[in-house]
């Protein structure tokens, strides 16, 4: 089977423009820290501009588009094949949008080895965009693995200074978290590699589009047992990344130990690699197995929603609270995906973006507080509204968005997911009922936290002097928050264009799933 | 059997070895007639000539078409693309070894070091193409004896002398096994030629001989080659020899000798114990025996190698166990050769060895720079290397990531190709074992990276100097590792595929 080479696509420009920055940071002889920051910021903004250009050229009536195919390792049937559809384009947009914010978030927080840190940031951007746009399983796997390396270093080198007890030996907590993160993810992904090899071997190509066509036309069929095994091979890799309960235990460690920019990227984008993979590969390639497993995965998702919310409520450390809330929020996304209908999947895709924006924002806020006070304990604060009104205002919007208040982005996503799961053929109504309880719990832990940190009288003397946000003093913090807040309101008040753009791709996927479901129900 | 008697074809078949012999003589002469202070240039001279030879070998024409065209020198050698790709990588390994040896004061002023490397290279190079029991043995001994001398090269260092002696004793023992196996094969068939209708392979496949003695011969030969590639349970010499030898020699023995041995193992197994594809209508198919044998060997080798590597404190010992594990991965490709289409199994081993040579020499080169500056080879002393010399730490990181199989370093494509070959050959369980082992291996590679970049060290503010020539060599090797994992992967894989295909002519 052969693919025709095509011309250069705008997708490649988005993918590789951060690589220019990596090379500059690596080889440019002398740069001050400030120049490094500015160069990286400009680089990420240019990448964002490219992605906006890509968005403007997107045609919602077509499926996969702006594809680029180039021969790479022809001997193994491997191509450089990239492109976007209505699902992946939003995740690319999310990535390119979050990256400048991550750079701004480390403006003052990162003071050691600034050049190396920003090099890793940009490398990570290449890897994450690469995962979303790859249309070749081999290429996809490469970017998937590459994304681990910069994150490992970011946590391990610039993480917190805490210590942890490791089998009776004192150990740097950040190292523990970094190694755990790496091994957990690699263990999952290497099983996926086997599944990829098997599929590639049977299809005689690694190309996503060709394999999809072969499967849809019935030329490539697996036995029930094989399909289930392959499904599990992919699912475990993605479930660890999401993370689906009970594979989440690396996440709180990694989040808490990572530097602010690391947490923002981790929550904002990296976790979405997993949910994206579920939609793109598990549902697309193995619909029969997906239907069989949907009730069980749905159950794990619901447990994750409630467990995450419950554990969040008990946290005394703000960052840990936000970390566990991610487990809860991503439970909704997984629930939406395995509702396997249009509303569920559309809601899930939008909620991926929403979670990136809101939780990324929460981590940014926590990072700002930590830089000022050098603690993340909830009871170290209180009455911040009186001292930092502007900061607190932003915090209120972002917290409410994470909670799912109507009018803000989180509501749109969660509501659509619940509509989807309620009307789902694969999930019982009880899933929806229990998930709704999760929304209530979210309100509880977020409002409690907000109350303790921001409301009431100022209880601690140290907090009196905290600096609020101003354009003159800390423009980088303020501009990052403004950008996030704008997106929160836009999605919350006018989500129509977001759904419209994914209509084509989701409709196509759901049509396939429906057909399989019809057969399965007979 | 008809052999190619065309003089030009015969000349081209051994032209690289002739060139190597000339380079060796020149090196010897230069060593004799130059002053001690200039002798370091001998290393440059040898290194660049070897590199040029590697480049030139790519363009040496091979007779194409039939087996009888490719068998030259009365059937002693087979000159095909398989020989060519292994030769080229061995020359690259020898060249890099010369470059990284130059910084070691114990070797840089001694021309005979380079001479020994060149003679070993001649042996390895002939081994890659040998198609006659006599030739296999002669080439094997040329390689081995030079390596024994290299291992014990630093005579006044007890560790080096010990490692030389150990290597010699155990190596001779292994050679005995190989030779015994050869003599059995010769006794049964009356032939020394492995190819052709009256060669050993086709005679065995005709099934007129008793199985039991043939299996004994097969075992003997697998044991003998097993020593060379340090497969478990024949690996006991590896850690001691690697630790005690001068590091440049360790680098050389860990790659060139291993690559040549894999070449001969692949060729030998396919030709002498042919699978069905190579002996149509054969009565006896011994590949049904050696495929499980090699598979089991592969699993044991990688598992023991990786598990023991976990607890190592000395970086050279760690790399010794890691190289045992790497041999285990490559054995998966050997197990896959009998059943994969188009020689994918052999091709995957060839590509793996290509990337492994670059990667391992890169790693050992970094260790030389580090040990020259600090006098230590303990992993814990690598602490803060990222602060003491960022470039050195980056080069080492690239090498470790490649060994661990993390893209974009070449090791990833290498592993991917091997696993793919195993899956294609329906050896799914073998592939699963390989994948699980990769996870274990990642841990100890990661720990070194962690030590280099994160751990504090009392010598943190003491810079580690990197001589300019090392910076160039290691930089080039790092670049090559990354390029081989990205844009250069395709031509090399094409070449390896071609090489694998020609084994089935």
């Amino acid at each position: 089977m052969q693919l025709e080479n095509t011309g250069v696509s705008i997708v490649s420009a988005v993918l590789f423009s951060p690589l220019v920055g990596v090379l500059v940071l690596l080889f440019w002889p002398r740069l001050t820290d400030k120049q490094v920051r500015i160069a990286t910021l400009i680089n990420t903004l240019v990448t964002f501009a490219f992605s906006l250009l890509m968005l403007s050229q997107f045609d919602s009536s077509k499926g996969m588009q702006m594809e680029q195919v180039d021969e790479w390792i022809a001997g193994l049937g491997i191509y450089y094949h990239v492109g976007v559809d209505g699902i992946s384009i939003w995740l690319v947009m999310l990535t390119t949008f979050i990256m400048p914010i991550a750079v701004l978030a480390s403006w003052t927080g990162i003071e050691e080895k600034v050049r190396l840190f920003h090099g890793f940031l940009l490398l990570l951007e290449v890897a994450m965009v690469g995962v979303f746009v790859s249309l070749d399983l081999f290429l996809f796997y490469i970017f998937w693995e590459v994304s681990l390396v910069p994150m490992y270093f970011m946590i391990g080198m610039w993480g917190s200074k805490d210590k942890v007890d490791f089998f009776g030996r004192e150990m740097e907590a950040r190292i523990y978290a970094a190694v755990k993160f790496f091994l957990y993810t690699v263990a999952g992904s290497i099983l996926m590699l086997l599944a990829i090899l098997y599929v590639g071997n049977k299809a005689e190509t690694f190309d996503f589009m060709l394999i999809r066509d072969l499967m849809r036309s019935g030329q490539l069929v697996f036995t029930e047992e094989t399909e289930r095994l392959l499904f599990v091979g992919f699912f475990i890799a993605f479930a660890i990344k999401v993370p689906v309960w009970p594979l989440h235990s690396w996440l709180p460690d990694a989040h808490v130990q990572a530097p602010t920019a690391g947490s923002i990227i981790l929550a904002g984008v990296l976790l979405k690699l997993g949910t994206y993979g579920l939609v793109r590969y598990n549902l697309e390639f193995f619909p029969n197995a997906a239907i069989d497993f949907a009730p069980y995965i749905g159950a794990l998702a619901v447990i994750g929603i409630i467990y995450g919310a419950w554990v969040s409520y008990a946290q005394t450390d703000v960052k840990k609270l936000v970390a566990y809330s991610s487990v809860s929020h991503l439970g909704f996304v997984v629930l939406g995906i395995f509702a396997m209908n249009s509303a569920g999947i559309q809601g899930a895709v939008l909620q991926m973006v929403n979670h990136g924006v809101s939780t990324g924002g929460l981590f940014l806020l926590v990072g700002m507080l930590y830089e000022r006070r050098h603690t993340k304990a909830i009871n170290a604060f209180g009455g911040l509204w009186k001292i930092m009104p502007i900061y607190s205002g932003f915090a209120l919007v972002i917290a409410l968005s994470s909670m799912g208040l109507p009018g803000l982005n989180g509501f749109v996503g969660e509501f659509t997911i619940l509509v989807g799961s309620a009307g789902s053929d694969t999930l019982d109504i009880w899933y929806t009922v229990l998930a709704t309880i999760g929304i209530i719990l979210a309100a509880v832990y977020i409002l409690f936290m907000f109350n303790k940190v921001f409301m009431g009288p100022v209880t601690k003397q140290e907090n009196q002097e905290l600096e609020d946000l101003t354009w003159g003093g800390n423009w980088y913090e303020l501009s990052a928050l403004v950008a996030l807040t704008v997106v929160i309101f836009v999605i919350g008040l006018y989500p129509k264009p977001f759904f419209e753009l994914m209509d084509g791709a989701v409709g196509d996927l759901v049509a396939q799933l429906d057909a399989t479901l019809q057969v399965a129900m007979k | 059997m008809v052999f190619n008697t065309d003089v030009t074809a015969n000349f081209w078949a051994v032209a690289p070895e002739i060139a190597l012999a000339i380079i060796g003589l020149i090196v010897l002469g230069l060593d004799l007639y130059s002053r001690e202070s200039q002798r370091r240039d001998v290393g440059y001279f040898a290194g660049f000539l070897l590199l040029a030879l590697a480049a030139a070998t790519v363009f040496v024409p091979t007779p194409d078409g039939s087996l009888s065209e490719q068998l030259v020198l009365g059937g002693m050698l087979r000159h095909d693309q398989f020989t060519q790709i292994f030769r080229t990588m061995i020359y690259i390994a020898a060249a890099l070894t010369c470059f990284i040896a130059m910084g070691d004061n114990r070797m840089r002023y001694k021309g005979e070091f380079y001479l020994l490397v060149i003679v070993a290279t001649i042996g390895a190079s002939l081994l890659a193409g040998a198609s006659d029991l006599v030739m296999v043995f002669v080439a094997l001994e040329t390689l081995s004896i030079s390596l024994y001398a290299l291992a014990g090269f630093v005579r006044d260092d007890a560790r080096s002398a010990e490692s030389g002696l150990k290597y010699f004793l155990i190596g001779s023992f292994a050679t005995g096994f190989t030779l015994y196996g050869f003599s059995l094969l010769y006794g049964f068939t009356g032939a020394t030629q492995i190819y052709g209708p009256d060669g050993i392979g086709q005679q065995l496949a005709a099934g007129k001989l008793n199985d039991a003695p043939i299996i004994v011969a097969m075992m003997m030969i697998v044991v003998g080659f097993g020593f060379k590639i340090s497969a478990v349970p024949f690996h006991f010499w590896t850690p001691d020899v690697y630790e005690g030898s001068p590091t440049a020699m360790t680098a050389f023995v860990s790659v060139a000798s291993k690559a040549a041995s894999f070449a001969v193992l692949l060729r030998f197994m396919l030709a002498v114990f042919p699978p069905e594809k190579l002996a149509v209508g054969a009565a006896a198919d011994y590949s049904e025996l050696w495929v499980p044998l090699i598979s089991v060997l592969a699993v044991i080798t990688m598992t023991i190698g990786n598990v023991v590597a976990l607890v190592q404190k000395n970086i050279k010992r760690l790399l010794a166990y890691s190289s045992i594990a790497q041999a285990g991965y490559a054995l998966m490709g050997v197990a896959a050769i009998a059943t994969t289409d188009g020689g994918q199994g052999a091709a995957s081993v060839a590509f793996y060895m290509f990337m492994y040579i670059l990667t391992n020499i890169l790693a050992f080169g970094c260790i030389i720079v580090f040990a020259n500056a600090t006098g230590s080879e303990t992993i814990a002393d690598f602490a803060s290397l990222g602060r003491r010399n960022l470039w050195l730490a980056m080069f080492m990181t690239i090498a470790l990531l490649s060994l661990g199989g993390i893209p974009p370093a070449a090791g990833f494509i290498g592993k991917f190709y091997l696993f793919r070959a195993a899956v294609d050959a329906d050896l799914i369980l073998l592939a699963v074992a390989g994948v699980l082992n990769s996870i274990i291996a990642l841990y100890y590679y990661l720990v070194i990276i962690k030590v280099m970049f994160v751990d504090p060290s009392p010598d943190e503010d003491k810079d580690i100097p990197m001589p300019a020539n090392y910076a160039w060599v290691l930089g080039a090797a790092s670049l090559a590792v990354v390029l081989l994992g990205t844009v250069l992967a395709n031509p090399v894989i094409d070449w390896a595929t071609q090489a694998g295909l020609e084994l089935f002519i």
Side-chain angles (χ1 to χ4, degrees):
Chain A
M1 224 164 308
Q2 290 292 313
L3 287 167
E4 293 291 316
N5 285 8
T6 58
V8 177
S9 151
I10 177 90
V11 176
S12 296
V14 178
L15 175 57
F16 288 117
S17 91
L19 204 59
V20 177
V22 175
L23 293 177
V24 168
L25 292 186
L26 201 58
F27 291 114
W28 199 277
R30 249 181 292 281
L31 283 174
T32 63
D33 287 356
K34 183 144 198 201
Q35 285 167 326
V36 169
R37 292 180 212 279
I38 292 173
T40 316
L41 183 63
I42 292 175
N43 194 232
T44 51
L45 288 174
V46 168
T47 311
F48 184 56
F50 274 130
S51 69
L52 284 176
L53 191 63
M54 176 180 79
L55 186 66
S56 71
Q57 291 177 5
F58 191 84
D59 178 354
S60 58
S61 64
K62 287 198 240 159
M64 196 59 72
Q65 51 196 291
M66 297 182 239
E67 287 177 59
Q68 180 179 344
V69 181
D70 272 300
E71 212 167 70
W72 182 21
I73 310 177
L76 301 181
I78 292 165
Y79 290 84
Y80 170 77
H81 187 178
V82 294
V84 286
D85 69 353
I87 297 172
S88 54
I89 195 165
W90 287 119
L91 294 161
V92 175
M93 295 305 297
L94 172 69
T95 314
T96 54
F97 171 71
I98 289 286
M99 287 314 288
I101 290 176
V103 177
L104 291 173
S106 32
W107 207 261
T108 50
I110 301 296
E111 285 176 331
E112 276 178 40
K113 291 194 219 134
V114 177
R115 201 193 261 236
L116 198 59
F117 182 85
H118 287 83
F120 280 134
L121 269 185
L122 292 173
L123 193 62
L124 193 55
E125 183 169 15
V126 177
M128 294 187 303
V129 173
V131 168
F132 294 134
V133 301
S134 305
L135 292 175
D136 183 288
L137 292 181
F138 182 85
L139 193 65
F140 160 77
Y141 188 80
I142 286 210
F143 284 123
W144 176 272
E145 290 281 278
V146 168
S147 73
L148 293 177
V149 181
M151 195 37 116
Y152 168 79
F153 280 114
M154 278 162 72
I155 300 175
M157 292 176 71
W158 291 273
S160 80
K161 302 268 186 281
D162 303 347
K163 304 275 187 215
V164 71
D165 182 64
F166 184 69
F167 293 117
R169 204 154 54 92
E170 194 180 61
M171 182 179 180
E172 300 275 354
R174 61 176 194 277
I175 308 298
Y176 173 77
V179 173
K180 190 169 174 181
F181 160 77
F182 198 101
L183 290 181
Y184 233 110
T185 327
V186 164
S189 61
I190 228 153
L191 289 174
M192 176 168 74
L193 176 63
L194 269 185
I196 287 178
L197 281 169
Y198 192 86
V199 172
N201 180 30
K202 287 284 173 259
E204 292 175 353
T205 173
F206 287 103
D207 191 80
F208 172 79
M209 300 301 278
L210 290 180
I211 296 177
R212 191 174 78 169
D213 290 346
L214 284 175
M215 286 182 168
R216 287 187 176 178
S217 63
Q219 285 167 281
L220 178 63
V221 190
F222 298 112
T223 62
E224 194 184 340
E225 196 185 340
T226 317
E227 185 174 336
R228 285 184 175 181
L229 278 175
L230 291 172
F231 179 92
V232 170
F234 278 92
F235 178 76
I236 290 183
F238 298 141
I240 288 174
K241 201 83 158 189
V242 172
V244 172
W245 186 90
L247 300 170
H248 65 279
S249 76
W250 63 270
L251 178 113
D253 286 314
H255 264 316
V256 172
Q257 301 307 327
T260 303
S263 299
I264 292 174
I265 295 173
L266 201 55
V269 188
L270 268 183
L271 305 186
K272 275 73 194 184
L273 304 187
T275 43
Y276 169 78
L278 290 175
V279 177
R280 172 106 314 157
Y281 297 100
N282 281 71
L283 291 196
E284 190 72 66
F285 283 176
F286 315 113
N288 290 307
I291 291 166
D292 294 344
F293 285 123
Y296 307 106
I297 295 172
L300 293 182
V302 170
I303 294 176
I305 292 173
I306 295 179
Y307 170 86
W310 196 310
V311 178
S312 293
Y313 177 70
Q315 296 306 317
T316 54
D317 177 311
V318 196
K319 212 170 178 185
K320 257 199 169 137
L321 183 146
V322 180
Y324 274 108
S325 80
S326 284
V327 177
S328 179
H329 284 130
L330 285 160
F332 278 102
V333 177
V334 175
L335 188 70
I337 293 171
F338 283 91
M340 296 171 85
N341 54 20
S342 183
I345 293 173
Q346 290 209 348
V349 175
L350 188 65
Q351 188 62 10
M352 289 184 214
V353 177
N354 289 338
H355 175 263
V357 173
S358 335
T359 309
L362 285 177
F363 276 119
L364 180 64
L365 291 165
V366 174
M368 289 175 185
L369 266 194
Y370 182 75
E371 268 181 42
R372 287 168 169 72
R373 264 294 258 117
H374 298 287
T375 177
K376 294 171 297 197
I378 294 179
N379 57 20
F381 301 102
L384 285 189
W385 195 289
K386 296 195 176 59
I387 308 157
M388 311 165 71
I390 302 178
Y391 173 86
S392 309
F394 280 113
L396 181 63
V397 173
I398 293 176
L400 291 178
S401 126
S402 173
M403 196 182 94
L405 185 82
L408 301 178
N409 62 347
F411 172 75
V412 184
E414 286 181 358
F415 181 74
T416 321
I417 289 175
L418 290 176
V419 168
S421 80
S424 165
D425 292 327
T426 51
L427 301 176
D428 212 53
I429 188 69
W430 285 107
Y431 292 89
T432 314
V433 173
L434 290 170
T436 317
I437 294 177
I439 295 193
I440 301 168
L441 289 177
V444 173
Y445 66 78
I446 286 191
L447 291 181
F448 261 96
M449 182 272 287
F450 196 82
N451 193 27
K452 281 189 202 151
V453 174
F454 293 95
M455 306 319 251
V458 182
T459 48
K460 296 275 191 311
Q461 204 49 45
E462 304 93 302
N463 294 338
Q464 286 293 0
E465 300 298 314
L466 293 183
E467 185 196 0
D468 201 4
L469 306 173
T470 52
W471 282 112
N474 34 32
W475 59 273
Y476 42 90
E477 294 180 334
L478 195 54
S479 53
L481 285 175
V482 168
L484 287 168
T485 314
V486 168
V487 173
I488 287 175
F489 276 112
V490 168
I491 301 182
L493 296 173
Y494 193 58
K496 198 168 146 235
F498 293 87
F499 286 127
E500 266 176 8
L501 241 58
M502 54 178 108
D503 260 349
V506 174
D508 186 43
L509 175 60
V510 169
Q512 291 298 317
L513 292 174
D514 272 346
T516 323
L517 260 174
Q518 295 306 326
V519 176
M521 294 220 284
K522 275 179 201 164
Chain B
M1 184 74 207
V2 193
F3 306 118
N4 191 337
T5 48
D6 180 38
V7 177
T8 333
N10 275 285
F11 168 74
W12 280 120
V14 285
E17 282 84 4
I18 295 174
L20 276 173
I22 294 172
I23 297 173
L25 288 175
I26 298 176
V27 165
L28 196 60
L30 277 180
D31 182 43
L32 276 178
Y33 291 106
S34 57
R35 282 194 304 278
E36 180 150 357
S37 58
Q38 293 168 333
R39 286 208 195 124
R40 204 183 76 164
D41 299 339
V42 176
Y44 275 117
F45 181 80
F48 278 116
L49 278 186
L50 283 167
L51 214 51
L53 180 62
T57 308
V58 178
F59 300 104
V60 169
T62 59
D64 38 34
S66 64
L67 185 59
S68 56
E69 288 289 312
Q70 289 185 341
L71 285 174
V72 293
L73 299 172
M76 283 291 162
L77 284 179
R78 180 166 174 194
H79 189 217
D80 54 6
Q81 288 303 323
F82 185 78
T83 315
Q84 291 296 96
I85 189 170
F86 272 97
R87 270 179 179 169
T88 308
M89 66 175 96
I90 289 164
Y91 302 157
I92 293 175
L96 292 176
T97 307
C98 289
F99 287 132
I100 64 171
M102 279 184 304
D104 192 326
N105 283 331
R106 299 171 302 178
M107 283 163 311
R108 64 200 282 184
Y109 300 119
K110 299 206 166 134
E112 59 268 36
F113 178 85
Y114 306 108
L115 178 68
L116 282 171
V117 169
I118 290 167
V119 175
T121 308
I122 296 180
S125 168
L126 288 173
L127 198 55
S131 63
D132 188 291
L133 295 185
V134 178
M135 193 67 216
V136 171
F137 186 71
V138 170
L140 197 60
E141 283 303 272
T142 313
L143 170 65
S144 302
I145 293 171
S146 325
L147 290 182
Y148 303 148
L150 280 173
F153 191 79
V154 187
R155 276 166 302 174
D156 40 6
D157 178 358
R159 286 199 312 166
S160 172
E162 178 196 333
S163 105
L165 190 63
K166 264 188 190 155
Y167 193 28
F168 171 66
L169 288 176
I170 300 178
S172 325
F173 190 58
T175 311
F177 272 95
T178 319
L179 208 51
Y180 193 39
F182 284 1
S183 69
L184 287 178
L185 287 181
Y186 176 65
F188 300 143
T189 60
T192 56
Q193 171 58 239
I194 62 174
Y195 285 112
D198 45 0
I200 301 171
Q202 300 298 330
Q203 286 199 42
L204 294 186
K208 290 178 190 141
L209 298 156
N210 276 338
D211 277 354
I214 290 172
I215 294 167
V216 172
M218 184 198 289
M219 295 289 208
M220 292 287 174
I221 288 162
V222 169
V223 169
F225 290 151
F227 271 105
K228 283 270 133 204
I229 58 172
S230 51
V232 178
F234 321 115
H235 67 287
F236 290 104
W237 58 276
T238 318
D240 290 345
V241 171
Y242 278 29
E243 189 189 359
S245 305
T247 309
M249 144 71 193
T250 309
F252 189 66
V253 79
S254 74
V255 293
S257 154
K258 193 167 271 187
S261 308
F262 265 107
V264 74
L265 182 65
L266 286 167
R267 190 189 289 285
F268 208 85
M269 287 326 235
L270 276 181
V272 174
F273 308 107
E276 208 183 344
K277 261 185 249 162
L278 279 169
V280 182
D285 184 354
Y286 290 101
S287 74
E288 284 167 11
L289 265 167
W290 61 258
V291 167
L293 179 72
I294 300 270
S295 305
V296 170
L297 212 56
V299 174
I300 301 177
T301 303
M302 55 187 151
T303 312
I304 301 274
N306 279 327
V307 170
V308 183
L310 287 175
V311 296
Q312 297 306 317
K313 302 266 185 287
N314 177 297
I315 184 85
K316 279 167 80 180
R317 277 189 97 80
L318 181 129
L319 282 180
Y321 282 106
S322 124
S323 90
I324 294 173
Q326 303 284 345
Y329 301 135
L331 277 174
M332 298 199 314
V334 181
I337 45 177
T339 39
T340 45
D341 290 329
Q344 286 296 313
S348 67
V349 178
F351 183 83
Y352 200 78
M353 282 294 136
F354 212 115
M355 88 78 200
Y356 177 67
I357 277 179
L358 291 170
T359 308
N360 232 27
I361 292 195
L362 175 60
F364 280 113
C366 294
I367 293 174
I368 292 183
V369 174
F370 180 80
N372 274 352
T374 62
S376 164
E377 287 166 0
T378 312
I379 294 173
D381 289 342
F382 275 73
S384 296
L385 187 59
R387 284 189 200 89
R388 298 174 72 182
N389 189 330
L390 183 61
W391 282 104
L392 185 60
M394 297 243 280
F395 293 155
M396 189 74 184
T397 305
I398 290 178
L400 292 169
L401 289 180
S402 182
L403 287 173
I406 298 291
F412 172 69
I413 295 189
K415 281 219 174 67
F416 181 86
Y417 203 0
L418 283 175
F419 293 153
R420 200 184 89 125
V423 171
D424 280 359
D426 277 330
L427 299 167
I428 308 267
L429 282 178
L430 187 60
V432 171
V435 160
L436 293 178
N437 262 288
S438 313
I439 304 175
I440 305 178
L442 260 180
Y443 179 78
Y444 57 83
Y445 295 128
L446 274 185
V447 165
I448 307 176
I449 296 178
K450 178 215 98 177
V451 168
M452 290 194 303
F453 284 96
V454 181
D455 282 4
S457 153
D459 306 322
E460 216 161 288
D461 41 350
K462 281 188 217 150
D463 278 351
I464 290 181
M466 177 148 58
N469 53 342
Y470 275 94
W472 282 107
V473 173
L474 299 181
S478 307
L479 190 64
V481 168
V482 174
L483 287 181
L484 193 58
T486 49
V487 289
L488 281 185
N490 197 32
V492 179
I493 284 186
D494 278 349
W495 193 10
T497 311
Q498 177 64 23
L501 274 177
E502 293 202 358
L503 278 186
F504 282 85
I505 293 179

